[in-house]
Amino acid sequence: MAITDKIYIKNHRQLVSQVETSFPKGAFKGATLDILYQGEGLSKLDDATRDRVLDFAEDFLDCDCESNPHCGCAERKFVRYLLELREQGLGPDAMVDVMSDDYMLYAYPGDVRSFLDDSIRTLEAVESLAEVDGLADTAEQARQRRDGLVR
C-alpha cells in the first residue's frame, strides 16, 4: 500500500459538515479530490481551511494532465515532499506535524517510518543494480539520496 493511501484529512468531520457532503478521509481518494478541490466544495469552506486546501491544490494538483487530479501526479509530488522533509533532517513525528500545519493532513508516524525504510531499501537496490550495470553516476546519485534519508 502506497504512503499516499495512508494520508488523511485532519478535522474530517468538520470539513464534511462545512461542504455538506460526505467524502472519504483519505486525502488522495478520488471522491475527496473531487469534492474538496473542484467546484462548490471549496467555496463552502471557512477561510482558514480554504487557504490550506488551496495551498495543497497549488502544490500538488497543478499539472496539465487530461485526467487531473486522478492522474497520479499529486501522489508523486507528495512523495517528493515527504522525502524532502526527511532530507531536511525531520523525523517521522516532525514530518507529520509539518504536513498537518501546511495542509491539514495527517498520517501515523509508524506509516511514515515504514515509507522511509522502504525508500531507503529501494535506493539501495537501485545503487546495487546500477553498479552491476556499470552506471557509476546513477549508483552515486542513489547513494547520495539514500544517505540523505538515513540520518
Side-chain angles (χ1 to χ4, degrees), residues 107-119:
Y108 296 101
D111 289 337
V112 174
R113 189 171 291 108
S114 293
F115 161 73
L116 293 172
D117 186 57
D118 290 346
S119 299

Side-chain angles (χ1 to χ4, degrees), residues 82-134:
L82 291 176
L83 293 172
E84 289 169 2
L85 290 177
R86 178 63 183 151
E87 288 172 348
Q88 293 171 18
L90 299 179
D93 291 316
M95 292 169 68
V96 170
D97 290 343
V98 169
M99 81 173 75
S100 179
D101 291 344
D102 288 350
Y103 304 110
M104 288 183 53
L105 301 176
Y106 76 93
Y108 296 101
D111 289 337
V112 174
R113 189 171 291 108
S114 293
F115 161 73
L116 293 172
D117 186 57
D118 290 346
S119 299
I120 290 166
R121 302 297 160 244
T122 300
L123 287 167
E124 287 173 346
V126 168
E127 180 183 349
S128 295
L129 290 172
E131 287 172 351
V132 167
D133 286 344

Side-chain angles (χ1 to χ4, degrees), residues 5-17:
D5 292 334
K6 299 176 183 180
I7 305 296
Y8 306 101
I9 303 286
K10 190 175 177 181
N11 302 328
H12 177 259
R13 286 185 188 164
Q14 176 186 352
L15 269 67
V16 165
S17 174

